[in-house]
């Protein structure tokens, strides 16, 4: 993937530092290698390797336009050389005034190494460069397992007179780190007008006027958190977290001890290292309406317990950063969910028997307990010791033990783990495949004892299993056949379906009772410790459909049900690479994909999804956040959303880090203010139940899939969930769909779907009257009284919403949302936010004609297709329509309107607009 440093683009200028000057604009671009003098170590010893070896130099800024490869000025020392270096640069200012300085450098830092950067302007005092803000990181070595990467960071603002100036940049060891100094400078930019960097695009002081269909460039800098921002939803978040007491389960809802039902619009978030970046991160999240963070997994942040002394302890430095992060989120009104383990890692100090310890899979500095923790009390106790130690720890910043802090809203036992999953069950069921043989022998003995307790003797066992009895089956045999996950097919065991259903059903019951007991005892321990808030088991599933209902039955022990789901992506899996693309859309079949997780919503329990995303390079990813908000959190009544995953305090540029899981992009975070506003103000009501599946607990252990799960081909997914029995996935677009496994409950219920589903027209209306899904045209219309919008392939269409008429122009795919910021009906609202997103791509990205292959990934910057539409607002006359920047601040640029009609398009290079009427 190659790209030039200079090319003609339409630029979206974002205010980073307010400019005091109008014209003329000035930009100064200085290559890192264009120093006047330097003591960087670049060509001696290891410095030569650091500078040249296997570098993807086309990612660096070229010194001349039209040149493919660039260069940088690097510094690498070991104990053989001095440990710091200083490079001096000369810049000549033509205009004079206030200039913003950005620098693209190698910001490698960890707990034992890396560099500190500092600068001096015109021989003034040395000042530190804040590396907590870095953006547009790119790995310079493929596949990227290297410390040589490059990123932009904001330097400072200088008041410079016209004429020459001297800038010195110093790279030195971090205090307390090793003696290897390492770093590098690619390029620097100085501007006296609003600008933010992206890739190697030079600032253009006088960009050309954009055309209506021009894709515009996203260039986002540090958010100054202007009080004029209209997307700042932190005002809707009560501070501090915990003000209304502990989060509780009340029937199917979350409630605070002192308050009404509550919903959470959250993210999975990594913890920043420095105090400044943690504050910036929390403020940024709150601004975009995020009121919950899931820390996943907590053990990876805090590490293993340290042995020594009377009781094991956490690493003090790690624990202090964690405590501070929790307190900062709490102050901003953001609650926390703990995903404690993925998986729990033990060491020899945990006193697990050596023969069992040795056969566990290696994981970091210890061994993984994934899967087998369900069957081994010793491993459960080790988990609990770690968890208890943290819950009883008093956070010095809040002066509360975590178990007593209502800002800790949810504790999850562990992430994505189940005895019914392929790992470990396939290995355990084989007994002797050289992986978990000793654990398999233990499980076999437990299986024998369970049968002994249930049937007492072989005669009763044969009476129950009949012709399903296998050679050697006996209540005294510890080596009887066990079933792997792949054998648990929907219509019975993979082999001997007609004879062994009862036998396999008993094995499923045995495992289910084992897993349920584990969760029941953990729940009891948490309550005895004094933890008062919500508990969750895990978010995982069974490997075979015959065990799916049993697995859910074990999850029902705790307060809420959790699930994960993903959609889209491509050949790179977790990363974005060239190759085939899963470029399907949710809109082609109502209720499909991520929304189909609603099949696992338990009727009387809160339902949360702690991981979900529509992965790039899928081109239609803008659809899922509003679909999740309006259908999931609204119509289905789900209780908490956690998009996967956030780790930044700024909007990422390009496809950030070329990863498939990034929240901080326009298509996710950019829509969050509108979605959070709708959720927190209850713009969408829960639907009436359209399907309630209520199997008896005694029925789910028959060795078949009692739920009747049906899978089939939809788009590019050959194994997509299409139905549970008589309930098709489309029911999720009509009303609430629930499931409850329990003896003695009312019969299952399925409403008349045809009342809301016109199969000939391929249109489904929700039973709330607020949503319509045209899966034939692949368009959803959103028509509550307040929030309204169009999602999908609406190009060339005209849509009459209650508060606005929308005529979509040449843009084939849109997510166009209208939010009444005064919380009035849209037709009456005096202050409306328009969020308008379409497709995106990086510079140089090339898809095949059908979108099924990514031919070139391209690289930063990110280009956004403008939504071209003509809008006619109903109601009182409009007084103004303004362009709004990416930070939500209305600009001076007006959108011309004729009465209540105006057009939005690429000429405005934005995805936010503000509409006002008289009186506002």
């Amino acid at each position: 993937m190659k790209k030039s440093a200079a090319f003609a683009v339409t630029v979206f200028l974002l205010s980073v530092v307010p400019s005091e000057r109008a014209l003329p604009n000035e930009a100064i671009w200085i290559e890192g290698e264009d120093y006047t003098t330097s003591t960087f170590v670049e060509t001696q010893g290891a410095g030569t390797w650091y500078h040249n070896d296997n570098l993807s130099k086309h990612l660096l800024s070229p010194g001349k336009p039209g040149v493919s490869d660039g260069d940088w000025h690097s510094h690498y020392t070991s104990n053989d050389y001095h440990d710091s270096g200083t490079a001096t640069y000369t810049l000549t200012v033509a205009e004079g005034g206030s200039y913003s300085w950005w620098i693209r450098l190698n910001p490698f830092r960890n707990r034992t190494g890396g560099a500190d950067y500092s600068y001096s302007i015109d021989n003034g005092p040395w000042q530190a460069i804040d590396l907590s803000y870095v953006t547009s990181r790119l790995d310079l070595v493929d596949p990227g397992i290297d410390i040589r990467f490059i990123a932009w960071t904001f330097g400072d603002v200088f008041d410079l007179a016209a004429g020459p100036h001297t800038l010195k940049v110093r790279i030195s060891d971090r205090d307390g780190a090793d003696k290897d100094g390492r770093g590098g400078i690619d390029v620097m930019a100085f501007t006296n007008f609003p600008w933010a960097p992206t890739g190697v695009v030079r600032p253009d002081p006088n960009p050309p006027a954009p055309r209506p269909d021009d894709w515009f460039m996203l260039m986002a800098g540090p958010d100054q958190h202007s009080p004029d921002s209209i997307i700042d939803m932190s005002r809707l978040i009560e501070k501090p977290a915990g003000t209304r007491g502990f989060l509780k389960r009340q029937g199917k809802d979350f409630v605070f001890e002192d308050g009404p039902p509550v919903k959470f619009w959250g993210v999975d978030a990594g913890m920043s290292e420095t105090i400044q970046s943690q504050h910036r991160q929390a403020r940024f999240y709150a601004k975009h309406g995020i009121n919950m963070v899931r820390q996943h997994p907590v053990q990876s942040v805090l590490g293993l317990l340290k042995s020594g002394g009377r009781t094991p302890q956490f690493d003090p430095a790690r624990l202090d950063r964690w405590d501070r992060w929790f307190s900062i989120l709490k102050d901003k009104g953001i609650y926390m969910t703990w995903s404690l383990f993925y998986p729990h890692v033990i060491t020899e100090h945990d006193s697990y028997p050596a023969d069992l310890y040795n056969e566990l899979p290696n994981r970091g500095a210890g061994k993984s307990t994934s899967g087998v923790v369900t069957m081994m009390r010793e491993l459960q106790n080790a988990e609990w010791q770690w968890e208890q130690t943290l819950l009883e720890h008093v956070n010095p910043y809040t002066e509360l033990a975590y178990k007593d802090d209502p800002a800790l809203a949810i504790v999850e036992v562990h992430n994505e783990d189940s005895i019914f999953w392929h790992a470990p069950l396939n290995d355990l069921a084989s007994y002797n495949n050289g992986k978990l043989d000793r654990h398999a022998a233990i499980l076999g003995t437990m299986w024998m004892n369970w049968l002994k307790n249930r049937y007492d003797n072989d005669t009763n066992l044969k009476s129950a299993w009949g012709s399903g009895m296998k050679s050697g089956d006996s209540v005294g045999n510890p080596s009887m056949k066990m079933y792997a996950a792949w054998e648990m097919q929907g219509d019975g065991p993979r082999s001997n379906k007609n004879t062994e259903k009862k036998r396999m059903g008993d094995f499923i019951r045995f495992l289910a009772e084992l897993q349920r007991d584990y969760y029941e005892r953990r729940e009891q321990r948490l309550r005895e410790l004094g933890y008062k808030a919500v508990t969750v088991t895990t978010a995982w599933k069974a490997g075979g459909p015959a065990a799916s209902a049993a697995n859910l039955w074990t999850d029902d022990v705790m307060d809420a049900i959790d699930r994960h789901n993903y959609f889209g992506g491509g050949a790179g899996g977790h990363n974005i690479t060239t190759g085939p693309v899963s470029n399907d859309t949710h809109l082609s079949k109502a209720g499909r994909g991520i929304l189909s997780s609603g099949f696992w919503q338990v009727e009387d329990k809160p339902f949360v999804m702690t991981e979900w995303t529509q992965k790039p390079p899928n081109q239609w990813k803008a659809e899922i956040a509003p679909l999740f908000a309006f259908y999931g959190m609204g119509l289905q009544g789900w209780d908490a959303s956690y998009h996967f995953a956030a780790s930044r305090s700024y909007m990422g540029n390009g496809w950030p880090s070329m990863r498939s899981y990034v929240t901080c992009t326009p298509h996710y975070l950019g829509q969050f203010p509108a979605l959070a506003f709708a959720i927190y103000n209850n713009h969408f009501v829960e639907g009436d139940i359209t399907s309630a599946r209520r199997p008896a607990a005694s029925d789910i252990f028959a060795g078949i899939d009692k739920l009747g799960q049906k899978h089939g081909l939809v788009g590019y997914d050959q194994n997509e969930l299409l139905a549970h029995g008589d309930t098709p996935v489309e029911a999720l677009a009509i009303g609430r769909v629930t499931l409850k496994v329990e003896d003695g409950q009312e019969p299952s219920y399925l409403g008349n779907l045809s009342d809301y589903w016109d199969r000939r027209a391929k249109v489904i209306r929700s039973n709330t009257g607020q949503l319509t899904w045209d899966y034939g045209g692949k368009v959803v219309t959103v028509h509550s009284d307040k929030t309204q919008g169009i999602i999908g392939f609406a190009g060339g269409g005209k849509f009459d919403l209650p508060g606005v008429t929308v005529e979509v122009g040449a843009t084939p795919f849109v997510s166009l949302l209208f939010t009444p910021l005064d919380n009035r009906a849209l037709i009456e609202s005096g202050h409306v936010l328009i969020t308008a997103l379409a497709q995106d791509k990086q510079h140089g990205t090339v898809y095949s004609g059908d979108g099924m292959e990514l031919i070139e990934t391209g690289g930063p910057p990110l280009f956004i297709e403008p939504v071209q539409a003509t809008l006619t607002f109903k109601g009182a006359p409009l007084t103004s329509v303004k362009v709004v920047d990416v930070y939500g601040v209305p600009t001076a640029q007006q959108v011309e309107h004729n009465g209540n009609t105006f057009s939005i398009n690429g000429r405005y290079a934005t995805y936010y607009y503000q509409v006002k009427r008289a009186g506002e």
Side-chain angles (χ1 to χ4, degrees):
M1 177 267 303
K2 299 206 173 193
K3 55 186 181 296
S4 169
F7 47 90
V9 293
T10 301
V11 178
F12 182 14
L13 294 176
L14 305 175
S15 295
V16 178
V17 176
S19 175
E20 297 178 359
R21 298 179 57 102
L23 292 173
N25 293 336
E26 182 179 11
I28 302 169
W29 186 264
I30 301 177
E31 297 290 334
E33 58 270 25
D34 290 343
Y35 52 84
T36 305
T37 63
S38 177
T39 61
F40 282 14
V41 176
E42 193 169 70
T43 59
Q44 302 177 56
T48 303
W49 160 80
Y50 205 75
H51 184 74
N52 286 316
D53 192 47
N54 293 324
L55 281 189
S56 299
K57 288 198 171 183
H58 64 275
L59 299 176
L60 297 170
S61 171
K64 297 178 181 179
V67 177
S68 295
D69 285 354
D71 207 344
W72 67 331
H73 188 33
S74 62
H75 175 66
Y76 187 102
T77 67
S78 63
N79 290 329
D80 297 332
Y81 301 101
H82 50 81
D83 61 7
S84 65
T86 300
T88 302
Y89 298 87
T90 298
L91 60 147
T92 301
V93 173
E95 300 301 327
S98 179
Y99 287 75
S100 300
W101 171 47
W102 289 83
I103 180 169
R104 195 174 192 229
L105 45 70
N106 170 217
F108 169 71
R109 305 180 87 180
N110 62 22
R111 285 185 292 275
T112 62
D116 282 327
Y117 288 80
S118 55
Y119 71 90
S120 169
I121 184 76
D122 291 332
N123 295 313
W126 286 95
Q127 304 285 337
I129 297 177
D130 182 5
L131 295 182
S132 66
Y133 177 86
V134 293
T135 183
S136 297
R137 170 181 160 162
L138 289 174
D139 293 319
L140 294 178
V141 179
D142 189 16
I145 306 174
D146 201 293
I147 63 175
R148 291 172 295 172
F149 47 85
I150 206 78
W152 284 99
T153 192
F154 182 65
D156 208 336
V157 179
F158 300 133
D159 190 13
L160 302 175
H165 296 270
T166 299
L167 176 69
K168 296 179 181 179
V169 178
R170 182 170 65 195
I171 300 176
S172 56
D173 287 347
R174 295 186 62 194
D175 290 341
D178 60 30
K179 294 300 181 182
D180 290 345
R182 63 202 68 170
I185 301 171
D186 178 29
V187 71
M188 297 181 284
F190 302 80
T191 64
N192 66 349
F193 57 91
W195 179 79
T198 183
V200 293
V201 181
R202 301 188 181 204
D204 187 347
N206 300 294
R211 297 167 299 185
D213 60 347
D214 278 342
W215 290 44
F216 57 93
M217 186 195 307
L218 175 70
M219 295 196 299
D223 195 328
Q224 300 299 302
H225 292 280
S226 167
D228 298 325
S229 176
I230 63 173
I231 67 167
D232 189 347
M233 296 298 138
S234 62
R235 59 191 171 86
L236 300 179
I237 299 175
E238 192 172 47
K239 307 172 193 61
T243 297
R244 294 187 178 270
F246 289 93
L247 185 68
K248 299 286 187 179
R249 170 202 163 218
Q250 186 177 88
K252 65 179 183 59
D253 297 316
F254 285 146
V255 299
F256 290 123
E257 289 177 309
D258 179 21
V262 60
K263 291 182 182 289
F264 295 98
W265 187 251
V267 292
D268 289 80
M271 179 184 70
S272 298
E273 183 175 344
T274 67
I275 297 175
Q276 300 95 320
S277 58
Q278 287 181 355
H279 278 286
R280 188 182 297 126
Q281 194 176 358
R283 189 177 185 187
F284 187 66
Y285 292 167
K287 173 178 179 173
H288 288 84
I290 293 166
N291 65 349
M292 175 74 86
V293 158
R294 177 180 182 246
Q295 193 69 51
H296 165 68
V298 179
Q299 191 178 50
S300 70
V301 177
L302 292 176
L304 307 180
L305 288 172
K306 305 291 185 181
S307 59
R310 287 185 293 180
T311 58
Q313 299 294 329
F314 293 106
D315 176 85
R318 285 187 170 196
L319 186 59
D320 182 68
R321 284 193 298 272
W322 170 261
D323 290 337
R324 184 179 62 213
W325 172 232
F326 184 94
S327 70
I328 289 171
L329 289 173
K330 179 177 180 176
D331 287 344
K332 292 297 181 184
I334 300 174
Y335 291 81
M336 190 176 274
T337 293
W338 285 359
S339 169
L340 289 166
F341 310 113
Y342 186 45
H344 182 232
V345 175
I346 64 169
T347 69
E348 293 174 341
H349 298 296
D350 288 287
S351 300
Y352 195 52
D355 59 333
L356 297 175
Y357 179 85
N358 290 334
E359 74 172 9
L360 293 176
N362 293 326
R363 182 81 171 207
K367 296 283 191 174
S368 166
T369 65
S370 179
V372 293
V373 67
T374 300
M375 55 175 279
M376 300 301 294
R377 290 281 183 98
E378 299 95 327
L379 297 179
Q380 296 168 21
N381 292 338
E383 263 191 353
W384 176 244
Q385 182 186 33
W386 196 99
E387 182 175 356
Q388 180 181 8
T389 301
L390 184 56
L391 285 168
E392 291 187 321
H393 166 69
V394 176
N395 184 333
Y397 300 98
T398 63
E399 299 182 341
L400 290 171
Y402 281 110
K403 68 181 179 64
D404 299 322
D405 197 325
L408 176 56
I410 301 175
V411 169
E412 179 183 45
V413 174
H414 51 196
N415 179 70
E416 293 187 353
D417 205 340
S418 171
I419 192 66
F420 291 107
W421 187 239
H422 297 282
L425 190 52
N426 295 350
D427 290 330
L428 293 170
S430 71
Y431 278 107
N432 296 299
N433 70 351
K435 293 184 178 180
L436 293 171
D437 295 356
R438 291 172 177 82
H439 288 85
I442 293 171
L443 188 65
T445 300
M446 297 169 75
W447 168 224
M448 176 192 72
N449 291 334
W450 185 88
L451 290 171
K452 174 71 172 176
N453 290 333
R454 183 168 184 82
Y455 293 112
D456 187 53
N457 56 59
D458 290 349
T459 300
N460 292 338
L461 181 64
K462 182 173 179 55
S463 176
W465 287 359
S467 59
M469 286 282 285
K470 303 180 74 67
S471 175
D473 280 350
S474 168
V475 297
N477 181 6
S479 301
M480 283 183 291
K481 174 182 170 52
M482 298 187 289
Y483 294 90
W486 56 268
E487 295 181 273
M488 297 179 178
Q489 297 184 342
D491 57 350
R494 184 182 178 91
S495 301
N496 304 319
K497 291 186 187 297
N498 294 328
T499 58
E500 288 188 32
K501 290 177 182 176
K502 174 60 177 172
R503 188 184 191 283
M504 189 174 77
D506 273 354
F507 183 68
I508 290 172
R509 183 192 288 265
F510 154 66
L511 293 180
E513 290 180 358
L514 190 66
Q515 184 160 282
R516 187 174 170 107
D517 175 72
Y518 162 41
Y519 292 145
E520 285 176 335
R521 287 185 298 102
R522 182 59 54 85
E523 174 79 10
Q524 181 179 357
R525 280 177 154 175
L526 283 163
R527 300 312 178 190
E528 289 175 349
L529 186 69
Y531 174 74
K532 305 175 184 65
V534 170
T535 57
V536 170
T537 59
T538 188
W540 210 221
K541 53 192 174 184
S548 293
N551 187 62
L552 183 70
W553 178 73
T554 71
D555 291 331
D556 201 7
V557 166
M558 288 189 167
D559 290 326
I561 304 301
D562 183 15
R563 286 296 180 266
H564 296 168
N565 209 337
Y566 292 94
F567 192 87
H574 299 316
N575 301 303
I576 302 171
T577 65
T578 56
V581 177
S582 179
N583 208 23
D584 209 350
T585 170
H586 283 85
L587 296 163
S588 61
K589 188 174 183 65
R592 69 174 297 200
I594 290 172
L595 296 180
S596 70
S597 296
F599 273 130
W600 306 106
Q601 180 175 203
V602 171
E603 188 169 345
D604 62 346
K605 292 286 178 74
F607 184 77
V608 307
M609 287 191 67
T610 55
E611 292 183 23
W612 61 271
T613 196
Q614 188 163 334
K615 300 184 293 182
N618 183 285
Q619 293 175 286
W620 324 119
K621 59 184 178 293
E623 69 191 14
I624 187 55
L627 290 178
F628 195 105
F630 303 150
Y631 279 93
M633 302 292 285
L635 180 68
Q636 291 300 320
W638 299 347
D639 300 275
S641 161
Y642 306 72
H643 185 257
F644 196 83
S647 60
R648 293 167 172 80
S649 58
Y650 50 86
M651 192 70 76
N653 288 329
W655 289 333
S657 303
M658 297 299 286
R659 292 285 289 170
S660 299
Y661 315 101
V662 180
T663 301
C664 298
T665 64
H667 290 76
Y668 290 109
L669 201 70
Q671 298 190 90
F672 276 17
L675 304 180
F677 189 90
I679 291 166
Y680 298 155
N681 287 295
N682 300 309
H683 287 186
F684 295 89
V685 297
E686 292 183 13
D688 294 332
I689 289 181
T690 195
S691 172
R693 291 149 302 136
R694 298 166 179 147
S698 55
D699 291 341
I700 65 171
F701 304 119
I704 60 172
D705 176 18
K706 182 64 178 178
L707 302 177
Q709 299 170 79
K710 298 175 184 177
H711 298 78
L713 175 65
V714 178
Y716 309 128
D717 189 343
Q718 299 185 28
N719 195 37
E720 183 162 348
L721 182 60
L722 304 181
H724 272 197
D726 294 334
T727 302
V729 72
E730 287 86 353
L732 290 155
I734 296 174
R736 290 188 71 225
V737 174
T738 64
L739 173 62
K740 180 69 176 181
V741 177
E742 188 175 65
D743 290 328
Q745 58 183 332
E746 294 181 4
S748 296
Y749 165 79
L750 179 63
N752 187 353
L753 305 184
S754 296
D755 289 347
Y756 303 95
W757 186 356
D758 186 335
R759 288 173 170 82
R760 178 174 297 178
K762 298 183 178 180
V763 173
I764 298 176
R765 295 178 294 109
S766 69
N767 60 27
T768 63
Q770 295 180 311
L771 299 162
T772 299
W773 195 313
D774 176 359
Y775 58 93
K778 296 188 287 189
V779 176
V780 163
T781 51
V782 182
H783 39 83
S784 76
D785 289 340
K786 296 180 178 180
T787 291
Q788 296 171 27
I790 307 294
I791 306 161
F793 296 81
K798 183 174 182 178
F799 303 88
D800 187 22
L801 301 177
V804 60
T805 299
V806 179
E807 295 182 65
V808 180
T811 315
F813 168 85
V814 304
S815 176
L816 181 58
L817 308 177
F818 303 91
T819 305
L821 294 176
D822 52 12
N823 206 31
R824 298 163 65 187
L826 187 66
I827 198 169
E828 301 171 353
S829 177
H831 191 195
V832 177
L833 167 68
I834 299 176
T835 306
L837 282 160
Q839 298 178 68
D840 72 359
K841 62 183 178 181
Q842 298 191 118
H843 173 62
T845 297
V846 179
Y847 288 88
S848 62
D850 59 5
M852 294 180 63
E853 183 177 1
L854 187 63
I855 299 171
E856 295 287 346
T857 61
L862 185 72
F863 285 87
I864 301 174
E865 182 183 19
V867 173
Q868 301 179 66
T870 298
L871 312 176
T872 302
F873 274 73
K874 302 174 183 180
L878 306 183
T879 56
S880 72
V881 181
K882 287 186 175 182
V883 171
V884 176
D885 69 21
V886 74
Y887 313 112
V889 179
T891 69
Q893 186 178 9
Q894 295 274 351
V895 177
E896 183 179 350
H897 61 99
N898 181 10
N900 281 18
T901 299
F902 60 92
S903 294
I904 59 175
N905 53 52
R907 292 190 298 121
Y908 304 109
T910 185
Y911 51 84
Y912 290 140
Y913 299 85
Q914 179 195 56
V915 177
K916 283 198 168 185
R917 303 184 202 260
E920 288 293 325

